[in-house]
Amino acid sequence: MPRIPQLTPDTADTDQRDLLEATHRQLGRVPNLYASLAHGPAALRGYLALRDSLTKGVLTDRLREQLALLVAQENGCLYCVSAHTLRGGRLLKMTDQELRATRRAEDADPHAQAVLQVATAVIRSHGRVDDELLDQARNEGVTNAEFAEIVAHVALNTLSNYFNHLAEPELDFPPVASMDVPSTDAEAAR
């Protein structure tokens, strides 16, 4: 049972209803996260504005989706791990193996892996990333614009993850089997 109910066109006020309708037009549906977040129209507007702005940034669609999945994994948000696993598979044709690797901040592409590792460090260190990791990322081609957007994506996705923890909306995506990511053979050998 959700702790903050999902609004519907019948239960929303005019401002909330306009946001729900705009979300429906943009996404083709209103995920339960948005229907709950609409209780605070300023919060939903802010979330959507940042999300929309970042789609026009320098990071690729794939990297943006990978960041959303990684941040959800790091924050233990089953709702968003499930949503972004579905999106990554369906929209970006990522394999199950690629999706699991993303959740571990791994990618076959060194640039993408560097982006994911910086994001992980931002989350775990609360933004206090050491110089060595930044230098390694720069050596893999990560730019200052990408560093800025990595932090912005961490913030955007942390907002949705934390709101999901608070609101507990009903999961309206196929659930991911486990929030635990099995270690790789290389990790087990360490």
PDB file of all heavy atoms in Angstrom, residues 15-41:
ATOM      1  N   ASP A  15      -3.783  22.243 -11.057  1.00  0.00           N
ATOM      2  CA  ASP A  15      -2.339  22.277 -11.286  1.00  0.00           C
ATOM      3  C   ASP A  15      -1.788  20.859 -11.384  1.00  0.00           C
ATOM      4  O   ASP A  15      -1.006  20.534 -12.287  1.00  0.00           O
ATOM      5  CB  ASP A  15      -1.665  23.057 -10.153  1.00  0.00           C
ATOM      6  CG  ASP A  15      -0.227  23.445 -10.454  1.00  0.00           C
ATOM      7  OD1 ASP A  15       0.170  23.482 -11.640  1.00  0.00           O
ATOM      8  OD2 ASP A  15       0.510  23.743  -9.483  1.00  0.00           O
ATOM      9  N   GLN A  16      -2.178  20.002 -10.456  1.00  0.00           N
ATOM     10  CA  GLN A  16      -1.722  18.613 -10.458  1.00  0.00           C
ATOM     11  C   GLN A  16      -2.196  17.890 -11.720  1.00  0.00           C
ATOM     12  O   GLN A  16      -1.439  17.155 -12.351  1.00  0.00           O
ATOM     13  CB  GLN A  16      -2.230  17.892  -9.210  1.00  0.00           C
ATOM     14  CG  GLN A  16      -1.660  18.437  -7.923  1.00  0.00           C
ATOM     15  CD  GLN A  16      -2.451  17.991  -6.704  1.00  0.00           C
ATOM     16  OE1 GLN A  16      -3.639  17.670  -6.779  1.00  0.00           O
ATOM     17  NE2 GLN A  16      -1.790  17.991  -5.547  1.00  0.00           N
ATOM     18  N   ARG A  17      -3.450  18.107 -12.092  1.00  0.00           N
ATOM     19  CA  ARG A  17      -4.023  17.459 -13.271  1.00  0.00           C
ATOM     20  C   ARG A  17      -3.273  17.885 -14.536  1.00  0.00           C
ATOM     21  O   ARG A  17      -2.971  17.061 -15.398  1.00  0.00           O
ATOM     22  CB  ARG A  17      -5.515  17.771 -13.382  1.00  0.00           C
ATOM     23  CG  ARG A  17      -6.236  16.957 -14.419  1.00  0.00           C
ATOM     24  CD  ARG A  17      -7.767  17.107 -14.425  1.00  0.00           C
ATOM     25  NE  ARG A  17      -8.339  18.295 -13.825  1.00  0.00           N
ATOM     26  CZ  ARG A  17      -8.783  18.394 -12.564  1.00  0.00           C
ATOM     27  NH1 ARG A  17      -8.709  17.355 -11.753  1.00  0.00           N
ATOM     28  NH2 ARG A  17      -9.303  19.514 -12.118  1.00  0.00           N
ATOM     29  N   ASP A  18      -2.941  19.172 -14.635  1.00  0.00           N
ATOM     30  CA  ASP A  18      -2.181  19.653 -15.793  1.00  0.00           C
ATOM     31  C   ASP A  18      -0.824  18.947 -15.885  1.00  0.00           C
ATOM     32  O   ASP A  18      -0.381  18.566 -16.972  1.00  0.00           O
ATOM     33  CB  ASP A  18      -1.968  21.165 -15.716  1.00  0.00           C
ATOM     34  CG  ASP A  18      -3.246  21.959 -15.942  1.00  0.00           C
ATOM     35  OD1 ASP A  18      -4.260  21.370 -16.407  1.00  0.00           O
ATOM     36  OD2 ASP A  18      -3.241  23.175 -15.636  1.00  0.00           O
ATOM     37  N   LEU A  19      -0.164  18.775 -14.743  1.00  0.00           N
ATOM     38  CA  LEU A  19       1.126  18.071 -14.723  1.00  0.00           C
ATOM     39  C   LEU A  19       0.972  16.604 -15.120  1.00  0.00           C
ATOM     40  O   LEU A  19       1.787  16.062 -15.866  1.00  0.00           O
ATOM     41  CB  LEU A  19       1.756  18.161 -13.339  1.00  0.00           C
ATOM     42  CG  LEU A  19       2.549  19.420 -13.057  1.00  0.00           C
ATOM     43  CD1 LEU A  19       2.858  19.522 -11.574  1.00  0.00           C
ATOM     44  CD2 LEU A  19       3.821  19.438 -13.879  1.00  0.00           C
ATOM     45  N   LEU A  20      -0.073  15.956 -14.598  1.00  0.00           N
ATOM     46  CA  LEU A  20      -0.313  14.554 -14.954  1.00  0.00           C
ATOM     47  C   LEU A  20      -0.586  14.413 -16.448  1.00  0.00           C
ATOM     48  O   LEU A  20      -0.082  13.489 -17.096  1.00  0.00           O
ATOM     49  CB  LEU A  20      -1.468  13.982 -14.135  1.00  0.00           C
ATOM     50  CG  LEU A  20      -1.226  13.848 -12.631  1.00  0.00           C
ATOM     51  CD1 LEU A  20      -2.510  13.410 -11.926  1.00  0.00           C
ATOM     52  CD2 LEU A  20      -0.091  12.887 -12.329  1.00  0.00           C
ATOM     53  N   GLU A  21      -1.360  15.335 -16.999  1.00  0.00           N
ATOM     54  CA  GLU A  21      -1.671  15.288 -18.433  1.00  0.00           C
ATOM     55  C   GLU A  21      -0.429  15.541 -19.273  1.00  0.00           C
ATOM     56  O   GLU A  21      -0.208  14.870 -20.283  1.00  0.00           O
ATOM     57  CB  GLU A  21      -2.784  16.282 -18.768  1.00  0.00           C
ATOM     58  CG  GLU A  21      -4.138  15.855 -18.240  1.00  0.00           C
ATOM     59  CD  GLU A  21      -5.210  16.929 -18.361  1.00  0.00           C
ATOM     60  OE1 GLU A  21      -4.920  18.047 -18.867  1.00  0.00           O
ATOM     61  OE2 GLU A  21      -6.346  16.656 -17.934  1.00  0.00           O
ATOM     62  N   ALA A  22       0.404  16.488 -18.858  1.00  0.00           N
ATOM     63  CA  ALA A  22       1.650  16.761 -19.578  1.00  0.00           C
ATOM     64  C   ALA A  22       2.577  15.551 -19.525  1.00  0.00           C
ATOM     65  O   ALA A  22       3.222  15.201 -20.521  1.00  0.00           O
ATOM     66  CB  ALA A  22       2.339  17.991 -18.995  1.00  0.00           C
ATOM     67  N   THR A  23       2.644  14.902 -18.369  1.00  0.00           N
ATOM     68  CA  THR A  23       3.457  13.698 -18.226  1.00  0.00           C
ATOM     69  C   THR A  23       2.931  12.599 -19.135  1.00  0.00           C
ATOM     70  O   THR A  23       3.710  11.923 -19.823  1.00  0.00           O
ATOM     71  CB  THR A  23       3.467  13.224 -16.754  1.00  0.00           C
ATOM     72  OG1 THR A  23       4.004  14.267 -15.949  1.00  0.00           O
ATOM     73  CG2 THR A  23       4.293  11.971 -16.580  1.00  0.00           C
ATOM     74  N   HIS A  24       1.635  12.435 -19.178  1.00  0.00           N
ATOM     75  CA  HIS A  24       1.025  11.415 -20.037  1.00  0.00           C
ATOM     76  C   HIS A  24       1.347  11.689 -21.499  1.00  0.00           C
ATOM     77  O   HIS A  24       1.668  10.763 -22.256  1.00  0.00           O
ATOM     78  CB  HIS A  24      -0.491  11.350 -19.811  1.00  0.00           C
ATOM     79  CG  HIS A  24      -1.116  10.170 -20.475  1.00  0.00           C
ATOM     80  ND1 HIS A  24      -1.589  10.213 -21.762  1.00  0.00           N
ATOM     81  CD2 HIS A  24      -1.320   8.905 -20.029  1.00  0.00           C
ATOM     82  CE1 HIS A  24      -2.062   9.031 -22.094  1.00  0.00           C
ATOM     83  NE2 HIS A  24      -1.913   8.219 -21.056  1.00  0.00           N
ATOM     84  N   ARG A  25       1.257  12.942 -21.903  1.00  0.00           N
ATOM     85  CA  ARG A  25       1.582  13.290 -23.301  1.00  0.00           C
ATOM     86  C   ARG A  25       3.044  12.987 -23.608  1.00  0.00           C
ATOM     87  O   ARG A  25       3.371  12.494 -24.686  1.00  0.00           O
ATOM     88  CB  ARG A  25       1.305  14.769 -23.567  1.00  0.00           C
ATOM     89  CG  ARG A  25      -0.164  15.088 -23.795  1.00  0.00           C
ATOM     90  CD  ARG A  25      -0.366  16.503 -24.312  1.00  0.00           C
ATOM     91  NE  ARG A  25       0.195  17.536 -23.464  1.00  0.00           N
ATOM     92  CZ  ARG A  25      -0.429  18.081 -22.417  1.00  0.00           C
ATOM     93  NH1 ARG A  25      -1.647  17.685 -22.091  1.00  0.00           N
ATOM     94  NH2 ARG A  25       0.157  19.024 -21.704  1.00  0.00           N
ATOM     95  N   GLN A  26       3.936  13.272 -22.666  1.00  0.00           N
ATOM     96  CA  GLN A  26       5.370  13.078 -22.883  1.00  0.00           C
ATOM     97  C   GLN A  26       5.758  11.602 -22.870  1.00  0.00           C
ATOM     98  O   GLN A  26       6.550  11.161 -23.689  1.00  0.00           O
ATOM     99  CB  GLN A  26       6.158  13.837 -21.814  1.00  0.00           C
ATOM    100  CG  GLN A  26       7.657  13.765 -21.995  1.00  0.00           C
ATOM    101  CD  GLN A  26       8.405  14.490 -20.886  1.00  0.00           C
ATOM    102  OE1 GLN A  26       7.884  14.730 -19.804  1.00  0.00           O
ATOM    103  NE2 GLN A  26       9.639  14.836 -21.151  1.00  0.00           N
ATOM    104  N   LEU A  27       5.206  10.829 -21.949  1.00  0.00           N
ATOM    105  CA  LEU A  27       5.630   9.441 -21.751  1.00  0.00           C
ATOM    106  C   LEU A  27       4.641   8.400 -22.278  1.00  0.00           C
ATOM    107  O   LEU A  27       4.980   7.219 -22.324  1.00  0.00           O
ATOM    108  CB  LEU A  27       5.874   9.170 -20.259  1.00  0.00           C
ATOM    109  CG  LEU A  27       6.908  10.046 -19.558  1.00  0.00           C
ATOM    110  CD1 LEU A  27       6.983   9.683 -18.089  1.00  0.00           C
ATOM    111  CD2 LEU A  27       8.269   9.915 -20.224  1.00  0.00           C
ATOM    112  N   GLY A  28       3.429   8.840 -22.585  1.00  0.00           N
ATOM    113  CA  GLY A  28       2.418   7.877 -23.016  1.00  0.00           C
ATOM    114  C   GLY A  28       1.700   7.215 -21.860  1.00  0.00           C
ATOM    115  O   GLY A  28       0.784   6.424 -22.061  1.00  0.00           O
ATOM    116  N   ARG A  29       2.112   7.519 -20.651  1.00  0.00           N
ATOM    117  CA  ARG A  29       1.505   7.003 -19.422  1.00  0.00           C
ATOM    118  C   ARG A  29       1.994   7.841 -18.260  1.00  0.00           C
ATOM    119  O   ARG A  29       2.891   8.662 -18.430  1.00  0.00           O
ATOM    120  CB  ARG A  29       1.848   5.528 -19.216  1.00  0.00           C
ATOM    121  CG  ARG A  29       3.338   5.266 -19.023  1.00  0.00           C
ATOM    122  CD  ARG A  29       3.669   3.794 -18.886  1.00  0.00           C
ATOM    123  NE  ARG A  29       3.258   3.288 -17.607  1.00  0.00           N
ATOM    124  CZ  ARG A  29       4.092   2.826 -16.683  1.00  0.00           C
ATOM    125  NH1 ARG A  29       5.372   2.768 -16.910  1.00  0.00           N
ATOM    126  NH2 ARG A  29       3.651   2.402 -15.528  1.00  0.00           N
ATOM    127  N   VAL A  30       1.427   7.626 -17.094  1.00  0.00           N
ATOM    128  CA  VAL A  30       1.884   8.330 -15.893  1.00  0.00           C
ATOM    129  C   VAL A  30       2.358   7.263 -14.902  1.00  0.00           C
ATOM    130  O   VAL A  30       1.544   6.617 -14.237  1.00  0.00           O
ATOM    131  CB  VAL A  30       0.763   9.193 -15.265  1.00  0.00           C
ATOM    132  CG1 VAL A  30       1.277   9.893 -14.002  1.00  0.00           C
ATOM    133  CG2 VAL A  30       0.247  10.214 -16.270  1.00  0.00           C
ATOM    134  N   PRO A  31       3.682   7.049 -14.818  1.00  0.00           N
ATOM    135  CA  PRO A  31       4.183   6.090 -13.826  1.00  0.00           C
ATOM    136  C   PRO A  31       3.751   6.508 -12.419  1.00  0.00           C
ATOM    137  O   PRO A  31       3.559   7.694 -12.135  1.00  0.00           O
ATOM    138  CB  PRO A  31       5.702   6.180 -13.983  1.00  0.00           C
ATOM    139  CG  PRO A  31       5.915   6.678 -15.381  1.00  0.00           C
ATOM    140  CD  PRO A  31       4.767   7.621 -15.626  1.00  0.00           C
ATOM    141  N   ASN A  32       3.591   5.530 -11.559  1.00  0.00           N
ATOM    142  CA  ASN A  32       3.128   5.792 -10.199  1.00  0.00           C
ATOM    143  C   ASN A  32       4.024   6.767  -9.440  1.00  0.00           C
ATOM    144  O   ASN A  32       3.532   7.544  -8.619  1.00  0.00           O
ATOM    145  CB  ASN A  32       2.972   4.491  -9.427  1.00  0.00           C
ATOM    146  CG  ASN A  32       1.769   3.698  -9.904  1.00  0.00           C
ATOM    147  OD1 ASN A  32       0.857   4.238 -10.529  1.00  0.00           O
ATOM    148  ND2 ASN A  32       1.765   2.410  -9.625  1.00  0.00           N
ATOM    149  N   LEU A  33       5.329   6.732  -9.706  1.00  0.00           N
ATOM    150  CA  LEU A  33       6.231   7.711  -9.088  1.00  0.00           C
ATOM    151  C   LEU A  33       5.739   9.120  -9.366  1.00  0.00           C
ATOM    152  O   LEU A  33       5.615   9.944  -8.462  1.00  0.00           O
ATOM    153  CB  LEU A  33       7.652   7.540  -9.625  1.00  0.00           C
ATOM    154  CG  LEU A  33       8.593   8.749  -9.466  1.00  0.00           C
ATOM    155  CD1 LEU A  33       8.881   9.028  -8.000  1.00  0.00           C
ATOM    156  CD2 LEU A  33       9.874   8.541 -10.242  1.00  0.00           C
ATOM    157  N   TYR A  34       5.446   9.436 -10.622  1.00  0.00           N
ATOM    158  CA  TYR A  34       5.014  10.776 -11.010  1.00  0.00           C
ATOM    159  C   TYR A  34       3.648  11.093 -10.411  1.00  0.00           C
ATOM    160  O   TYR A  34       3.408  12.231  -9.998  1.00  0.00           O
ATOM    161  CB  TYR A  34       4.943  10.890 -12.533  1.00  0.00           C
ATOM    162  CG  TYR A  34       6.279  10.800 -13.236  1.00  0.00           C
ATOM    163  CD1 TYR A  34       7.094   9.680 -13.102  1.00  0.00           C
ATOM    164  CD2 TYR A  34       6.713  11.809 -14.067  1.00  0.00           C
ATOM    165  CE1 TYR A  34       8.303   9.588 -13.753  1.00  0.00           C
ATOM    166  CE2 TYR A  34       7.922  11.723 -14.736  1.00  0.00           C
ATOM    167  CZ  TYR A  34       8.712  10.605 -14.564  1.00  0.00           C
ATOM    168  OH  TYR A  34       9.913  10.516 -15.224  1.00  0.00           O
ATOM    169  N   ALA A  35       2.777  10.099 -10.373  1.00  0.00           N
ATOM    170  CA  ALA A  35       1.435  10.319  -9.834  1.00  0.00           C
ATOM    171  C   ALA A  35       1.473  10.614  -8.337  1.00  0.00           C
ATOM    172  O   ALA A  35       0.605  11.315  -7.822  1.00  0.00           O
ATOM    173  CB  ALA A  35       0.548   9.109 -10.117  1.00  0.00           C
ATOM    174  N   SER A  36       2.471  10.114  -7.652  1.00  0.00           N
ATOM    175  CA  SER A  36       2.643  10.447  -6.229  1.00  0.00           C
ATOM    176  C   SER A  36       3.361  11.780  -6.058  1.00  0.00           C
ATOM    177  O   SER A  36       2.969  12.602  -5.232  1.00  0.00           O
ATOM    178  CB  SER A  36       3.432   9.354  -5.509  1.00  0.00           C
ATOM    179  OG  SER A  36       2.685   8.169  -5.421  1.00  0.00           O
ATOM    180  N   LEU A  37       4.412  11.998  -6.838  1.00  0.00           N
ATOM    181  CA  LEU A  37       5.189  13.224  -6.740  1.00  0.00           C
ATOM    182  C   LEU A  37       4.354  14.448  -7.113  1.00  0.00           C
ATOM    183  O   LEU A  37       4.627  15.561  -6.653  1.00  0.00           O
ATOM    184  CB  LEU A  37       6.443  13.124  -7.624  1.00  0.00           C
ATOM    185  CG  LEU A  37       7.525  14.191  -7.466  1.00  0.00           C
ATOM    186  CD1 LEU A  37       8.009  14.297  -6.028  1.00  0.00           C
ATOM    187  CD2 LEU A  37       8.685  13.888  -8.399  1.00  0.00           C
ATOM    188  N   ALA A  38       3.290  14.254  -7.890  1.00  0.00           N
ATOM    189  CA  ALA A  38       2.414  15.358  -8.304  1.00  0.00           C
ATOM    190  C   ALA A  38       1.699  16.003  -7.115  1.00  0.00           C
ATOM    191  O   ALA A  38       1.171  17.111  -7.245  1.00  0.00           O
ATOM    192  CB  ALA A  38       1.393  14.878  -9.331  1.00  0.00           C
ATOM    193  N   HIS A  39       1.688  15.357  -5.946  1.00  0.00           N
ATOM    194  CA  HIS A  39       1.137  16.008  -4.751  1.00  0.00           C
ATOM    195  C   HIS A  39       1.867  17.321  -4.479  1.00  0.00           C
ATOM    196  O   HIS A  39       1.280  18.239  -3.913  1.00  0.00           O
ATOM    197  CB  HIS A  39       1.234  15.086  -3.525  1.00  0.00           C
ATOM    198  CG  HIS A  39       0.171  14.054  -3.462  1.00  0.00           C
ATOM    199  ND1 HIS A  39      -1.103  14.323  -3.021  1.00  0.00           N
ATOM    200  CD2 HIS A  39       0.193  12.739  -3.794  1.00  0.00           C
ATOM    201  CE1 HIS A  39      -1.830  13.213  -3.077  1.00  0.00           C
ATOM    202  NE2 HIS A  39      -1.063  12.243  -3.537  1.00  0.00           N
ATOM    203  N   GLY A  40       3.134  17.362  -4.854  1.00  0.00           N
ATOM    204  CA  GLY A  40       3.930  18.590  -4.754  1.00  0.00           C
ATOM    205  C   GLY A  40       4.245  19.070  -6.159  1.00  0.00           C
ATOM    206  O   GLY A  40       5.299  18.727  -6.698  1.00  0.00           O
ATOM    207  N   PRO A  41       3.358  19.835  -6.767  1.00  0.00           N
ATOM    208  CA  PRO A  41       3.570  20.245  -8.154  1.00  0.00           C
ATOM    209  C   PRO A  41       4.937  20.893  -8.408  1.00  0.00           C
ATOM    210  O   PRO A  41       5.553  20.650  -9.441  1.00  0.00           O
ATOM    211  CB  PRO A  41       2.428  21.225  -8.423  1.00  0.00           C
ATOM    212  CG  PRO A  41       1.343  20.788  -7.494  1.00  0.00           C
ATOM    213  CD  PRO A  41       2.075  20.342  -6.260  1.00  0.00           C
TER     214      PRO A  41
END
